[in-house]
């Protein structure tokens, strides 16, 4: 993969899914773009960002809407967004979720309410470069149904986050049918087809990075270097990233279950041989009280292994329980619609 920003698109990760070169341009209907901006405590960024976004998108098409999804912010995001919707004259729609449901749910809410024939997912903190939009647009016109940004420079992130991320992708992609392109984020351009496919997936706990890969379609990757956050602080600390990783793993791989079956099998086999050996030893040399340490160590080892595997089973069962309850993945508390785009305008 090229390691310069804004280099030509790469389809390396998706060699199985995407052709090496864009196919001849599709006769796409004129672009009507829905921009989904999840916002959690972004009062300082939102006005500038929406302005900049509207300007960048305005170069591509006059028909667009910007959906601000307020994901239960605790700062003044709500007031700032309402103010924008009322007074800015921009084609905005403001959707306030009833509490903080997490970025994945906020994105789902945006995708569910988007009405354009293409949907752009972009962070509110200026980390996703707006300069990439024309390229994404071109690739979409060239026949790609999903164009996503791939972070090429994680050097700016601290060690633990980097190591954890790389470990996560390694486990995720080991022997899994759906490969997650490493370092692909939520900076995406989706065709209506892809947005509809994502909407049709019924699961409640949505690990979006996995779902994008799962739905497939013709996909292109655009490398980019994330810019520094314009204002405010990242909402993702290590604990939150860890829980997102766990959601990803339990939603998209059964490898952890399999690992314990294998370890269990190996340990049981060892115990069998050991038992046979003890029998032989007792028959040949008689029994004495030796071996207590072995026994104690054995008991500890086995109970440890069992507890751990029960814990992992529990993670999956918990996930099943959550899905069975069928609660929606988000609730909308307020929906202020000043968007000119209409549903029936679909091609
Ligand atoms: N975000 C959200 N809900 C959350 C956390 C984050 O909607 O619970 C939004 C946030 O406002 C931003 C985007 O998701 O627009 C990315 O979040 P952040 O910058 O905190 O994450 P990072 O860039 O550090 O991964
Ligand atoms: Mg950010």
């Amino acid at each position: 993969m090229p390691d310069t920003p804004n280099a030509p698109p790469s389809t390396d990760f998706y060699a199985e899914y995407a052709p090496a070169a864009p196919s001849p341009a599709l006769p796409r209907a004129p672009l009507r773009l829905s921009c989904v901006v999840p916002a959690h405590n972004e009062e300082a960024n939102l006005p500038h960002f929406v302005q900049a976004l509207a300007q960048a998108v305005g170069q591509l098409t006059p028909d667009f809407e910007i959906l601000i999804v307020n994901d239960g912010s605790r700062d003044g995001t709500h007031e700032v967004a309402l103010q924008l919707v009322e007074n800015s004259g921009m084609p905005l729609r403001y959707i306030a979720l009833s509490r903080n449901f997490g970025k994945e749910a906020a994105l789902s809410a945006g995708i569910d309410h988007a009405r354009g024939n293409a949907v752009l997912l972009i962070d509110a903190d200026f980390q996703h470069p707006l300069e990439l939009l024309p390229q994404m647009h071109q690739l979409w016109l060239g026949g790609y149904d999903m164009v996503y940004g791939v972070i090429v420079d994680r050097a700016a992130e601290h060690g633990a986050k980097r190591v954890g991320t790389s470990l996560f992708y390694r486990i995720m992609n080991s022997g899994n049918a759906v490969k997650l392109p490493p370092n692909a984020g939520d900076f995406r351009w989706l065709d209506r087809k892809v947005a509809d496919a994502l909407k049709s997936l019924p699961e409640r706990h949505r690990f979006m990075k996995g779902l994008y890969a799962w739905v497939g379609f013709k996909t292109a990757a655009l490398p980019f270097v994330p810019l520094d956050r314009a204002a405010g602080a990242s909402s993702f600390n290590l604990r939150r990233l860890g829980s997102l990783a766990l959601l990803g793993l339990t939603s998209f791989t059964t490898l952890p279950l399999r690992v314990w079956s294998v370890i269990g099998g190996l340990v049981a086999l060892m115990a069998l041989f050991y038992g046979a050996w003890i029998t032989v030893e007792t028959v040949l040399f008689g029994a004495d009280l030796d071996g207590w340490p072995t026994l104690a160590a054995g008991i500890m080892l086995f109970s440890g292994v069992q507890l751990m595997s029960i814990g992992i089973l529990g993670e999956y069962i918990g996930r099943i329980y959550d899905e069975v309850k069928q609660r929606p993945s988000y609730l909308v508390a307020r929906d202020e619609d000043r968007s000119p785009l209409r549903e029936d305008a679909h091609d």
Side-chain angles (χ1 to χ4, degrees), residues 97-120:
L97 304 187
S98 61
R99 63 169 170 85
N100 179 251
F101 284 91
K103 185 182 180 189
E104 316 288 306
L107 289 174
S108 300
I111 293 173
D112 288 349
H113 291 85
R115 291 181 289 216
N117 62 351
V119 180
L120 172 74

CSV table of all heavy atoms in Angstrom, one decimal, residues 97-120:
chain,number,residue,atom,x,y,z
A,97,LEU,N,-30.0,11.7,19.6
A,97,LEU,CA,-30.4,10.4,20.3
A,97,LEU,C,-30.7,10.7,21.7
A,97,LEU,O,-30.3,11.7,22.3
A,97,LEU,CB,-29.2,9.5,20.1
A,97,LEU,CG,-28.7,9.2,18.7
A,97,LEU,CD1,-27.6,8.1,18.7
A,97,LEU,CD2,-29.8,8.8,17.8
A,98,SER,N,-31.4,9.8,22.3
A,98,SER,CA,-32.0,10.0,23.7
A,98,SER,C,-30.9,9.9,24.7
A,98,SER,O,-31.1,10.4,25.9
A,98,SER,CB,-33.1,9.1,24.0
A,98,SER,OG,-32.6,7.7,23.9
A,99,ARG,N,-29.7,9.3,24.4
A,99,ARG,CA,-28.6,9.3,25.3
A,99,ARG,C,-27.4,8.9,24.5
A,99,ARG,O,-27.5,8.8,23.3
A,99,ARG,CB,-28.8,8.3,26.4
A,99,ARG,CG,-29.0,6.8,25.9
A,99,ARG,CD,-28.9,5.8,27.1
A,99,ARG,NE,-29.3,4.5,26.7
A,99,ARG,CZ,-28.5,3.6,26.2
A,99,ARG,NH1,-27.2,3.9,26.0
A,99,ARG,NH2,-28.9,2.4,25.9
A,100,ASN,N,-26.3,8.6,25.1
A,100,ASN,CA,-25.1,8.2,24.4
A,100,ASN,C,-25.2,6.7,24.1
A,100,ASN,O,-25.1,5.9,25.0
A,100,ASN,CB,-23.8,8.5,25.2
A,100,ASN,CG,-22.5,8.1,24.5
A,100,ASN,OD1,-21.9,7.1,24.9
A,100,ASN,ND2,-22.2,8.7,23.4
A,101,PHE,N,-25.3,6.4,22.8
A,101,PHE,CA,-25.4,5.0,22.4
A,101,PHE,C,-24.1,4.5,21.8
A,101,PHE,O,-24.0,3.3,21.5
A,101,PHE,CB,-26.6,4.8,21.4
A,101,PHE,CG,-27.9,4.9,22.0
A,101,PHE,CD1,-28.7,6.0,22.1
A,101,PHE,CD2,-28.5,3.7,22.4
A,101,PHE,CE1,-29.9,6.1,22.6
A,101,PHE,CE2,-29.8,3.7,23.0
A,101,PHE,CZ,-30.5,4.9,23.1
A,102,GLY,N,-23.2,5.4,21.6
A,102,GLY,CA,-21.9,5.0,21.0
A,102,GLY,C,-21.9,5.3,19.6
A,102,GLY,O,-22.9,5.4,18.9
A,103,LYS,N,-20.6,5.4,19.1
A,103,LYS,CA,-20.5,5.9,17.7
A,103,LYS,C,-21.1,5.0,16.7
A,103,LYS,O,-21.7,5.4,15.7
A,103,LYS,CB,-19.0,6.1,17.4
A,103,LYS,CG,-18.7,6.7,16.0
A,103,LYS,CD,-17.2,6.8,15.7
A,103,LYS,CE,-17.0,7.4,14.3
A,103,LYS,NZ,-15.7,7.3,13.9
A,104,GLU,N,-21.0,3.7,16.9
A,104,GLU,CA,-21.6,2.7,16.0
A,104,GLU,C,-23.1,2.9,15.8
A,104,GLU,O,-23.6,2.9,14.7
A,104,GLU,CB,-21.4,1.3,16.5
A,104,GLU,CG,-20.0,1.0,17.0
A,104,GLU,CD,-18.9,1.0,15.9
A,104,GLU,OE1,-19.1,0.2,15.0
A,104,GLU,OE2,-17.9,1.7,16.1
A,105,ALA,N,-23.8,3.2,16.9
A,105,ALA,CA,-25.2,3.4,16.9
A,105,ALA,C,-25.5,4.7,16.2
A,105,ALA,O,-26.5,4.9,15.5
A,105,ALA,CB,-25.8,3.3,18.3
A,106,ALA,N,-24.7,5.8,16.5
A,106,ALA,CA,-24.9,7.1,15.9
A,106,ALA,C,-24.8,7.0,14.4
A,106,ALA,O,-25.6,7.6,13.7
A,106,ALA,CB,-23.9,8.1,16.5
A,107,LEU,N,-23.8,6.2,13.9
A,107,LEU,CA,-23.6,6.1,12.5
A,107,LEU,C,-24.8,5.3,11.9
A,107,LEU,O,-25.3,5.7,10.8
A,107,LEU,CB,-22.4,5.3,12.2
A,107,LEU,CG,-21.0,6.0,12.4
A,107,LEU,CD1,-19.9,5.0,12.2
A,107,LEU,CD2,-20.9,7.2,11.5
A,108,SER,N,-25.3,4.3,12.6
A,108,SER,CA,-26.5,3.6,12.1
A,108,SER,C,-27.7,4.5,12.0
A,108,SER,O,-28.4,4.5,11.1
A,108,SER,CB,-26.8,2.4,13.1
A,108,SER,OG,-25.8,1.5,13.1
A,109,ALA,N,-27.8,5.4,13.0
A,109,ALA,CA,-29.0,6.3,13.0
A,109,ALA,C,-28.8,7.2,11.8
A,109,ALA,O,-29.8,7.5,11.1
A,109,ALA,CB,-28.9,7.1,14.3
A,110,GLY,N,-27.6,7.7,11.5
A,110,GLY,CA,-27.4,8.6,10.4
A,110,GLY,C,-27.7,7.8,9.1
A,110,GLY,O,-28.5,8.4,8.2
A,111,ILE,N,-27.3,6.6,8.9
A,111,ILE,CA,-27.5,5.8,7.7
A,111,ILE,C,-29.0,5.6,7.5
A,111,ILE,O,-29.5,5.7,6.5
A,111,ILE,CB,-26.7,4.5,7.7
A,111,ILE,CG1,-25.2,4.8,7.7
A,111,ILE,CG2,-27.1,3.6,6.6
A,111,ILE,CD1,-24.3,3.6,7.9
A,112,ASP,N,-29.7,5.3,8.7
A,112,ASP,CA,-31.1,5.0,8.6
A,112,ASP,C,-31.9,6.2,8.1
A,112,ASP,O,-32.9,6.1,7.5
A,112,ASP,CB,-31.7,4.6,10.0
A,112,ASP,CG,-31.2,3.2,10.4
A,112,ASP,OD1,-30.6,2.5,9.5
A,112,ASP,OD2,-31.3,2.8,11.5
A,113,HIS,N,-31.5,7.4,8.5
A,113,HIS,CA,-32.2,8.6,8.1
A,113,HIS,C,-31.7,9.3,6.8
A,113,HIS,O,-32.4,10.3,6.4
A,113,HIS,CB,-32.2,9.6,9.3
A,113,HIS,CG,-33.0,9.1,10.5
A,113,HIS,ND1,-32.4,8.3,11.4
A,113,HIS,CD2,-34.3,9.3,10.8
A,113,HIS,CE1,-33.4,8.1,12.3
A,113,HIS,NE2,-34.5,8.7,12.0
A,114,ALA,N,-30.6,8.8,6.3
A,114,ALA,CA,-30.1,9.4,5.1
A,114,ALA,C,-31.0,9.2,3.9
A,114,ALA,O,-31.6,8.1,3.7
A,114,ALA,CB,-28.7,8.9,4.8
A,115,ARG,N,-31.1,10.2,3.0
A,115,ARG,CA,-32.0,10.1,1.9
A,115,ARG,C,-31.4,10.2,0.6
A,115,ARG,O,-32.0,10.1,-0.5
A,115,ARG,CB,-33.2,11.1,2.0
A,115,ARG,CG,-34.1,10.7,3.2
A,115,ARG,CD,-35.2,11.7,3.3
A,115,ARG,NE,-34.8,13.0,3.8
A,115,ARG,CZ,-35.5,13.8,4.6
A,115,ARG,NH1,-36.7,13.4,5.0
A,115,ARG,NH2,-35.0,14.9,5.0
A,116,GLY,N,-30.1,10.5,0.6
A,116,GLY,CA,-29.4,10.7,-0.7
A,116,GLY,C,-29.1,9.4,-1.4
A,116,GLY,O,-29.4,8.3,-0.9
A,117,ASN,N,-28.6,9.5,-2.6
A,117,ASN,CA,-28.2,8.3,-3.4
A,117,ASN,C,-26.8,7.9,-3.1
A,117,ASN,O,-26.3,6.9,-3.6
A,117,ASN,CB,-28.5,8.4,-4.9
A,117,ASN,CG,-27.6,9.5,-5.5
A,117,ASN,OD1,-27.0,10.2,-4.8
A,117,ASN,ND2,-27.6,9.5,-6.8
A,118,ALA,N,-26.1,8.7,-2.2
A,118,ALA,CA,-24.8,8.2,-1.7
A,118,ALA,C,-24.8,8.8,-0.2
A,118,ALA,O,-25.4,9.8,0.1
A,118,ALA,CB,-23.7,8.8,-2.5
A,119,VAL,N,-24.0,8.1,0.6
A,119,VAL,CA,-23.9,8.5,2.0
A,119,VAL,C,-22.5,8.7,2.4
A,119,VAL,O,-21.7,7.8,2.1
A,119,VAL,CB,-24.6,7.5,2.9
A,119,VAL,CG1,-24.5,7.9,4.4
A,119,VAL,CG2,-26.1,7.3,2.6
A,120,LEU,N,-22.1,9.8,3.0
A,120,LEU,CA,-20.7,10.0,3.4
A,120,LEU,C,-20.7,10.0,5.0
A,120,LEU,O,-21.5,10.7,5.6
A,120,LEU,CB,-20.2,11.4,2.9
A,120,LEU,CG,-18.9,11.8,3.5
A,120,LEU,CD1,-17.8,11.0,2.9
A,120,LEU,CD2,-18.7,13.3,3.3
